[in-house]
Amino acid sequence: MAYPMYEVDWSVLPPEQNRRFNPAFNIATIKQVVNEAIERVAPVSVRMPTPTRLRDLIRQIRAARTAAEERSVVNKECAYIRSTFREEDSVWRCRNIAKLLYIHMLGYPAHFGQLECLKLIASPRFTDKRVGYLGAMLLLDERQDVHLLITNCLKNDLNSNTQFVVGLALCTLGAIASPEMARDLASEVERLIKSPNAYIKKKAALCAFRIIRRVPDLMEMFLPATRSLLTEKNHGVLITGVTLITEMCENSPDTLNHFKKESGQREIVPNLVRILKNLILAGYSPEHDVSGVSDPFLQVKILRLLRILGKNDAEASEAMNDILAQVATNTETSKNVGNTILYETVLSIMDIKSESSLRVLAINILGRFLLNNDKNIRYVALNTLLRTVHVDTSAVQRHRTTILECLKDPDVSIRRRAMELSFALINGQNIRSMMKELLTFLERSDAEFKAHCSSAMVLAAERYAPSNKWHLDTLFRVLLKAGNYLRDDTVSSTLQIVSSAAPERQAYAAMRLWTSLERSAVSGDATEKQPLVQVAAWTIGEYGDLLVSEASNAISMVDEDGVDDFVRPTEEYVIDVYQKLLWSTQLSINTKEYLLLSLAKLSTRFTTQPSQDKIRVIIDTFGSHIHIELQQRGVELSQLYRKYAHLRPALLERMPAMDAPGGAAHDDADNDALSDVSPDHKPDHVNNDALLDLIIGSDSLTNGDVEHKPSQPPASNNNTSSNDILDLLSGLDLTPTAPASVMNNNVASPGLTAGLPASLAPGLTSAAPPASLLLDGLFAAPMQTPTMQDLPTVTALEKNGLRIVFGVQRGGDSVTLTMRAQSSSPSTLTDFLFQAAVPRTFQLDMMSPSGTVLPPQGEITQVLKITNPSRSALRLRIRVSYNVDGVPVLEQAEVNSFPPDLFN
Amino acid sequence: MMQFMLLFSRQGKLRLQKWYVAHPDKLKKKITRELITTVLARKPKMCSFLEWKDVKIVYKRYASLYFCCAMEQEDNELLTLELIHRYVELLDKYFGSVCELDIIFNFEKAYFILDELVLGGELQETSKKNVLKAIAAQDLLQEEETPQGFFDDHGLG
């Protein structure tokens, strides 16, 4: 096979840089000579046209002006290369594979070259092998089937006499070793680690490192050979040896101990310390010097291994304390390379059981890093501080000012780290100043930060707020500055905080928010701050009376800058601002829903006639709004001015304080829900059990739940009461854990959502469903008139001063009962809850009650609609629960005294 | 451990790719595409590190070429910058003031040099001299088995 014209592209530069180009030769002459030579000696090549050279192909491809043109060049060449592969043309294989690898890099498929790479590897020529292995590393990965074939080639080459052939095989094995290959070739690699040749030794050590990564079981067999690696002088062998040991130690604690205790002649820690010391103290060695530092690569690797050895090991840590201090103090820091070593040293000091003085030294190094001009060094400093801040907060606190400075860094990654670190540093002492800086940061920061930063600020404020007023102020500032980037749950948690604040705080909140709302309405940037508008709308809706009253003069509105910019608005001006916002085309439907309900609430808070008229006009306008949700809301609310005007004050009364944190964890949702029904948990369970009896005890009765399953296991019945209640709101897709507060709050307001755990919020993002259902129910009750006394009444219960009477109204196969609970007891009954159950052939729809608090001589009404297609006599079971003077009371009764001809 | 190294131009053209982890071709292409876009979108004043999926990307631009390495969480980013620099120095020594064209037309040489510097994603040699010596010796082996002279320079094309 001695063709005189081997492919020789490899060392040839493009002609424009070809220093060996001799223009004396005329290409035509050359071609002729060449062709003659080929015809003489190479019959194969005569049949096949000589292939394009690699550099010519590259040039052709680069000359292509369009992607299509490039594709056509590539396709043509690929077709040609395929054909040479079919012809088994071994002369040009090497060149063709090289071209294919270039084509592959451009992103074209090249898998058809895989087998040809193996043929090249099997060739005795070094050039073929070199290109073949390169191709194998690029075109094969450990998923390919051809691995069986390559394993044999590798095995042969690992035994070659030429060190470079062994080197190529090791390099390929290290890059693409599959678990099978690793197992098959591990013993060869182990043999090569013991080779006296440093070139082979270092490559074999890294190969072993990769093999262990792939198949940790194989670690054992490498242990003896690995021990001796650290006694070598050659830096290549040392660094690969350290890498291998590091991998082994990270892999198994047993091996870690093995190395600590019995590493050949010497223990490993003193050995590593000695190597490191030699590196630092030895004079200038040109071979390994990098800007005045002796082999930083090796130093870093050793430091990392020391870190693993010293972790949780006081004795080992003690042995390396000195050298770490030495490295930390003696390393030249004017260049990146010195800082690289310092950085690794700091990591080691932090991880091992080091002396406290050393730790301070390490944190101070990071502090200096923060002031470095090199952004990369500032970045790693922040990153490392972030890792250590939980261990050594006070040491990091000392660099707080520098860290806060980094919030203004031009580099976004540094700002991100600085922000995270700042949040980690917040505590009760520095919350005020930290939040001030972070607010400035929030205002200026990029959009991507705002969501994360604002929620973290809300959390920090909640955790460390020094006072309630400060907390509210901070929340409002965050609302103002985060704008629409604020997460939804922040709105509900803010509402919850406002709702549970003291009355004068609530007035303060309304006033503050009014100022912001008015400002953004006037400047027209309300669309950018919809969460703010929502919170403001809710708060003003709830506490609007405080906002416009004289009493607001008594509340200081002087802010941190000593400015008091609050001007008490007139009622009409408030309505004007609302109108402006509601008329805006940019505000989201959700925000408008908040505004509209808030406006309706204001109708019961404001007193002057003009403002009342305005409110009514605006609400009526929404009756024809293009958006169906708002339209429905508009229609419903305007009904509260007409037919159901008597219900309006009760429906729109102030929300009770929301105790549960809005963003409560999901687990807490259930408890929150229960505690809303009654503050005490115990009676609640009693209630539930009683209800359970009520349901299960009478087979023929249902609890009003159309889809009730009698076989429901008791365990899940804990939530039955809320299930029943939620059926009132049928159509709402709530999970059984939904808070019963939905039922208790007869007032439909955005606050409903606020009271719900965040996980439920999506189903209830607006308060619309409860509100609309409530009113739907009212409308659905046909012919309900206030003159109920005229109709037949049935007394259902009379006990302890509580009287429950049903007003009955017939309607074909359905009947409407109006439950009236009247109290003659001297105490107020709270948490009043009325429940009813009917036999299964009946259908029961219960409307919301008019209230949950029954004052002495007061009355609560609730409408029940019963449908009975079978027209049999009505039987009804009722259950009433309430608290009187803090004592829970539960009453049950069966009502059978309805007229038999009720359904006719 | 280095998971992969990519060299690409300012125009986003891939010039070299070295993978030390096994991924299907499709995924490699996807990663390459995404990463090139991400890195090219970064402004010069930004730092050279990027947390990307579960790896740390360390990149540095030399003239028209970006050198981009994906390192694991435990690796020292600053040292990776030194590694990239070492590779560039080696290319520079080998080609004699290297430029993008050298790497395009002699990509296999660039791979060979990298394979003498890094093996299986870890640094194998800290001496520049040793790397260049190994490359030169292997080049010599190639030349020895190839007929020299007239045919060489003009190839057989």
Side-chain angles (χ1 to χ4, degrees):
Chain A
M1 289 290 285
Y3 300 122
M5 51 313 215
Y6 273 120
E7 159 62 275
V8 284
D9 252 4
W10 307 111
S11 57
V12 182
L13 294 165
E16 58 270 24
Q17 293 168 6
N18 193 334
R19 293 153 212 141
R20 286 174 289 184
F21 183 69
N22 185 344
F25 290 105
N26 169 312
I27 290 290
T29 336
I30 296 160
K31 280 238 163 106
Q32 197 187 345
V33 175
V34 167
N35 287 340
E36 282 165 12
I38 290 168
E39 274 166 42
R40 253 197 329 277
V41 297
V44 175
S45 312
V46 178
R47 284 199 308 277
M48 299 288 298
T50 27
T52 328
R53 291 175 305 183
L54 171 66
R55 63 165 184 259
D56 287 338
L57 175 70
I58 295 175
R59 222 172 279 130
Q60 271 181 39
I61 291 174
R62 284 171 60 78
R65 266 158 302 165
T66 62
E69 209 175 307
E70 180 189 290
R71 209 157 37 236
S72 101
V73 174
V74 168
N75 285 344
K76 212 172 118 213
E77 191 60 34
C78 279
Y80 172 76
I81 293 173
R82 274 173 194 271
S83 74
T84 65
F85 288 166
R86 267 197 306 276
E87 298 275 341
E88 291 290 333
D89 178 358
S90 60
V91 184
W92 304 112
R93 190 179 280 137
C94 182
R95 176 190 282 191
N96 285 331
I97 285 290
K99 286 190 287 192
L100 193 59
L101 293 182
Y102 185 79
I103 289 169
H104 175 247
M105 186 144 59
L106 297 176
Y108 296 92
H111 51 273
F112 57 87
Q114 287 171 350
L115 268 176
E116 300 300 312
C117 288
L118 294 186
K119 288 180 191 160
L120 281 179
I121 293 171
S123 150
R125 287 178 64 232
F126 184 71
T127 311
D128 283 352
K129 277 191 192 300
R130 211 178 182 193
V131 176
Y133 276 123
L134 178 65
M137 283 187 275
L138 287 170
L139 299 182
L140 311 181
D141 58 42
E142 60 186 65
R143 288 148 207 277
Q144 306 292 342
D145 305 333
V146 277
H147 269 188
L148 272 178
L149 299 169
I150 202 177
T151 308
N152 279 328
C153 298
L154 285 170
K155 197 161 195 156
N156 279 334
D157 284 343
L158 289 175
N159 286 301
S160 165
N161 289 326
T162 317
Q163 61 167 348
F164 295 117
V165 173
V166 181
L168 284 176
L170 285 170
C171 184
T172 309
L173 183 58
I176 61 171
S178 65
E180 295 77 39
M181 278 167 80
R183 281 181 209 282
D184 290 346
L185 298 172
S187 58
E188 303 288 334
V189 174
E190 195 264 350
R191 179 177 57 79
L192 291 173
I193 294 181
K194 291 185 280 197
S195 149
N197 183 335
Y199 181 80
I200 291 175
K201 211 179 180 74
K202 68 182 185 195
K203 283 178 193 275
L206 283 185
C207 234
F209 153 77
R210 284 305 301 256
I211 287 174
I212 293 171
R213 272 249 164 148
R214 301 299 294 146
V215 192
D217 309 351
L218 292 171
M219 184 162 65
E220 202 103 323
M221 70 182 292
F222 291 107
L223 278 176
T226 308
R227 267 181 216 161
S228 59
L229 290 175
L230 291 188
T231 56
E232 295 276 335
K233 289 274 181 292
N234 182 299
H235 283 208
V237 177
L238 276 176
I239 193 169
T240 54
V242 172
T243 307
L244 177 58
I245 295 173
T246 307
E247 176 67 22
M248 289 173 161
C249 291
E250 279 185 329
N251 220 310
S252 103
D254 286 348
T255 320
L256 181 66
N257 286 330
H258 165 88
F259 276 111
K260 276 184 195 169
K261 297 279 143 32
E262 30 166 3
S263 174
Q265 311 88 328
R266 295 197 216 201
E267 281 183 50
I268 189 160
V269 175
N271 203 2
L272 288 169
V273 168
R274 176 187 55 85
I275 300 171
L276 197 51
K277 202 170 239 161
N278 285 342
L279 279 176
I280 308 170
L281 299 179
Y284 174 76
S285 116
E287 202 178 334
H288 300 110
D289 181 83
V290 180
S291 341
V293 176
S294 178
D295 208 336
F297 299 101
L298 183 55
Q299 286 198 42
V300 167
K301 284 279 175 209
I302 293 176
L303 285 166
R304 180 167 166 200
L305 180 52
L306 285 178
R307 171 155 92 241
I308 294 164
L309 293 166
K311 197 165 191 169
N312 299 326
D313 184 336
E315 200 185 325
S317 300
E318 174 69 34
M320 58 185 84
N321 250 327
D322 285 352
I323 188 74
L324 290 177
Q326 218 167 339
V327 177
T329 42
N330 290 355
T331 305
E332 165 69 41
T333 59
S334 56
K335 294 263 168 50
N336 176 60
V337 46
N339 289 319
T340 304
I341 294 171
L342 279 184
Y343 169 44
E344 198 70 31
T345 313
V346 169
L347 290 177
S348 294
I349 292 174
M350 291 304 181
D351 257 21
I352 66 166
K353 289 181 174 297
S354 47
E355 290 165 2
S356 63
S357 60
L358 206 54
R359 285 177 171 273
V360 173
L361 181 67
I363 299 269
N364 287 343
I365 289 175
L366 293 176
R368 264 188 284 138
F369 275 12
L370 286 178
L371 299 169
N372 199 296
N373 284 329
D374 186 340
K375 49 195 181 300
N376 293 333
I377 291 171
R378 290 200 300 274
Y379 175 86
V380 296
L382 287 170
N383 236 355
T384 317
L385 286 171
L386 202 56
R387 272 167 62 170
T388 53
V389 67
H390 304 291
V391 188
D392 223 338
T393 323
S394 58
V396 182
Q397 287 285 5
R398 258 180 279 142
H399 301 281
R400 204 173 67 224
T401 6
T402 326
I403 293 162
L404 288 173
E405 273 308 300
C406 291
L407 285 175
K408 299 169 192 151
D409 204 281
D411 185 341
V412 59
S413 345
I414 291 178
R415 284 203 302 275
R416 182 192 304 276
R417 294 285 156 230
M419 177 183 85
E420 286 168 12
L421 193 53
S422 305
F423 281 119
L425 287 178
I426 291 182
N427 60 29
Q429 281 81 53
N430 60 25
I431 176 93
R432 282 172 191 270
S433 61
M434 291 292 278
M435 283 305 233
K436 212 167 173 180
E437 293 285 343
L438 285 165
L439 273 168
T440 325
F441 171 71
L442 177 64
E443 192 171 15
R444 286 196 228 132
S445 64
D446 309 323
E448 52 177 317
F449 286 136
K450 287 199 168 167
H452 179 71
C453 184
S454 53
S455 4
M457 288 178 78
V458 170
L459 281 181
E462 194 174 309
R463 195 152 163 217
Y464 298 113
S467 75
N468 194 262
K469 175 171 184 288
W470 181 90
H471 192 182
L472 284 176
D473 277 339
T474 305
L475 285 177
F476 298 158
R477 286 207 187 99
V478 171
L479 279 169
L480 201 60
K481 291 187 174 161
N484 287 348
Y485 296 102
L486 204 69
R487 274 175 28 187
D488 284 347
D489 56 340
T490 314
V491 173
S492 46
S493 64
T494 311
L495 294 187
Q496 183 263 324
I497 291 163
V498 174
S499 128
S500 55
E504 70 271 16
R505 284 274 168 272
Q506 291 172 337
Y508 173 79
M511 288 154 72
R512 259 284 169 255
L513 287 166
W514 161 254
T515 317
S516 312
L517 185 71
E518 191 229 353
R519 210 171 280 162
S520 52
V522 170
S523 64
D525 66 349
T527 29
E528 315 294 313
K529 297 167 182 165
Q530 304 217 27
L532 173 76
V533 176
Q534 292 171 4
V535 171
W538 186 89
T539 311
I540 295 169
E542 291 294 320
Y543 314 109
D545 44 340
L546 305 172
L547 173 68
V548 293
S549 79
E550 297 276 342
S552 69
N553 291 343
I555 296 168
S556 160
M557 293 297 290
V558 179
D559 61 13
E560 280 179 6
D561 305 325
V563 183
D564 179 358
D565 50 3
F566 177 72
V567 182
R568 183 151 58 90
T570 63
E571 292 183 0
E572 282 159 73
Y573 183 56
V574 174
I575 308 297
D576 286 343
V577 168
Y578 266 67
Q579 180 165 16
K580 187 171 173 171
L581 290 167
L582 281 167
W583 262 226
S584 147
T585 50
Q586 308 288 316
L587 284 181
S588 74
I589 295 300
N590 198 3
T591 308
K592 285 193 181 176
E593 285 168 353
Y594 271 90
L595 283 163
L596 192 59
L597 271 168
S598 165
L599 189 66
K601 288 207 159 197
L602 284 180
S603 73
T604 64
R605 309 283 189 276
F606 287 178
T607 47
T608 62
Q609 196 53 46
S611 67
Q612 292 290 347
D613 293 343
K614 274 190 173 174
I615 292 175
R616 192 174 170 169
V617 169
I618 296 174
I619 288 177
D620 283 347
T621 322
F622 272 86
S624 57
H625 195 275
I626 192 160
H627 191 273
I628 186 127
E629 272 292 321
L630 286 170
Q631 187 187 64
Q632 185 176 0
R633 199 76 57 86
V635 170
E636 288 161 0
L637 293 174
S638 46
Q639 286 299 317
L640 291 179
Y641 274 97
R642 302 196 171 86
K643 228 170 173 178
Y644 302 98
H646 61 287
L647 286 175
R648 187 156 55 94
L651 280 174
L652 298 176
E653 78 187 7
R654 192 167 289 171
M655 288 274 295
M658 293 177 268
D659 302 323
H666 196 243
D667 316 8
D668 297 341
D670 208 355
N671 290 342
D672 293 342
L674 293 175
S675 62
D676 272 356
V677 175
S678 82
D680 193 354
H681 274 203
K682 238 184 178 165
D684 209 72
H685 286 294
V686 172
N687 288 354
N688 284 333
D689 292 346
L691 183 65
L692 196 60
D693 293 340
L694 187 70
I695 296 155
I696 294 178
S698 57
D699 263 359
S700 59
L701 288 177
T702 74
N703 62 338
D705 181 352
V706 182
E707 289 173 342
H708 174 65
K709 300 170 196 70
S711 60
Q712 200 172 19
S716 66
N717 266 312
N718 204 19
N719 290 311
T720 312
S721 76
S722 32
N723 262 334
D724 298 346
I725 288 146
L726 289 165
D727 280 328
L728 295 176
L729 309 170
S730 54
L732 266 185
D733 186 22
L734 287 180
T735 63
T737 53
S741 62
V742 172
M743 184 278 306
N744 273 349
N745 300 322
N746 60 332
V747 182
S749 89
L752 280 179
T753 27
L756 291 177
S759 59
L760 291 172
L764 262 179
T765 44
S766 78
S772 54
L773 282 161
L774 162 65
L775 292 154
D776 281 351
L778 284 178
F779 302 139
M783 308 299 135
Q784 189 203 3
T785 62
T787 54
M788 205 57 88
Q789 280 82 354
D790 301 337
L791 292 160
T793 57
V794 176
T795 304
L797 184 78
E798 195 154 11
K799 211 172 177 183
N800 303 335
L802 176 70
R803 195 173 118 97
I804 293 191
V805 179
F806 286 108
V808 186
Q809 192 186 34
R810 295 192 182 89
D813 62 354
S814 70
V815 60
T816 307
L817 302 178
T818 308
M819 186 280 294
R820 310 166 77 84
Q822 295 152 334
S823 165
S824 55
S825 130
S827 317
T828 301
L829 312 185
T830 57
D831 296 321
F832 183 88
L833 178 65
F834 170 83
Q835 287 168 305
V838 291
R840 199 166 308 153
T841 50
F842 294 74
Q843 270 182 26
L844 170 64
D845 284 322
M846 291 178 75
M847 310 306 147
S848 298
S850 61
T852 58
V853 178
L854 189 55
Q857 312 306 325
E859 187 177 84
I860 289 177
T861 59
Q862 188 166 12
V863 175
L864 290 80
K865 192 183 166 200
I866 297 170
T867 316
N868 177 18
S870 71
R871 306 193 173 189
S872 52
L874 172 63
R875 286 186 302 144
L876 188 67
R877 268 192 191 185
I878 61 165
R879 197 192 70 162
V880 179
S881 65
Y882 54 87
N883 281 344
V884 54
D885 301 327
V887 182
V889 179
L890 181 76
E891 305 286 358
Q892 293 189 50
E894 185 157 348
V895 190
N896 295 323
S897 53
F898 290 106
D901 58 343
L902 199 57
F903 301 98
N904 46 28
Chain B
M1 191 192 106
M2 191 192 293
Q3 293 206 343
F4 57 86
M5 184 184 209
L6 301 176
L7 262 68
F8 50 87
S9 69
R10 272 168 72 193
Q11 288 75 36
K13 286 238 188 261
L14 187 63
R15 294 301 180 211
L16 205 77
Q17 53 172 338
K18 187 81 193 172
W19 296 82
Y20 296 106
V21 286
H23 288 314
D25 235 27
K26 224 174 160 180
L27 181 61
K28 285 186 191 169
K29 276 189 191 162
K30 185 167 168 277
I31 293 177
T32 310
R33 214 172 35 238
E34 280 180 30
L35 200 56
I36 291 179
T37 326
T38 317
V39 170
L40 288 180
R42 283 173 68 88
K43 298 188 187 74
K45 62 185 173 191
M46 295 184 173
C47 72
S48 305
F49 314 130
L50 180 64
E51 272 174 40
W52 194 75
K53 311 211 164 147
D54 58 339
V55 292
K56 291 199 272 200
I57 303 293
V58 179
Y59 69 92
K60 192 159 172 146
R61 194 180 129 184
Y62 286 87
S64 59
L65 268 189
Y66 281 88
F67 290 71
C68 175
C69 298
M71 308 302 290
E72 289 172 352
Q73 289 307 323
E74 281 300 298
D75 289 310
N76 185 323
E77 303 90 325
L78 296 175
L79 191 72
T80 309
L81 282 178
E82 289 298 323
L83 177 77
I84 293 176
H85 188 73
R86 172 58 60 93
Y87 182 44
V88 174
E89 282 179 327
L90 288 169
L91 290 172
D92 204 57
K93 274 248 166 65
Y94 184 80
F95 288 109
S97 109
V98 68
C99 69
E100 193 184 337
L101 274 181
D102 292 322
I103 294 173
I104 295 172
F105 280 95
N106 303 283
F107 68 90
E108 79 286 353
K109 297 288 186 198
Y111 276 122
F112 294 152
I113 296 171
L114 184 60
D115 283 342
E116 284 298 331
L117 181 69
V118 176
L119 194 154
E122 286 285 353
L123 189 73
Q124 58 167 311
E125 182 56 66
T126 61
S127 151
K128 272 183 269 186
K129 202 180 76 188
N130 283 353
V131 174
L132 292 170
K133 234 164 59 187
I135 294 289
Q138 291 175 74
D139 285 352
L140 191 69
L141 262 184
Q142 256 185 260
E143 279 184 33
E144 277 170 357
E145 60 187 18
T146 312
Q148 292 290 307
F150 176 76
F151 288 108
D152 256 40
D153 277 25
H154 302 95
L156 282 175

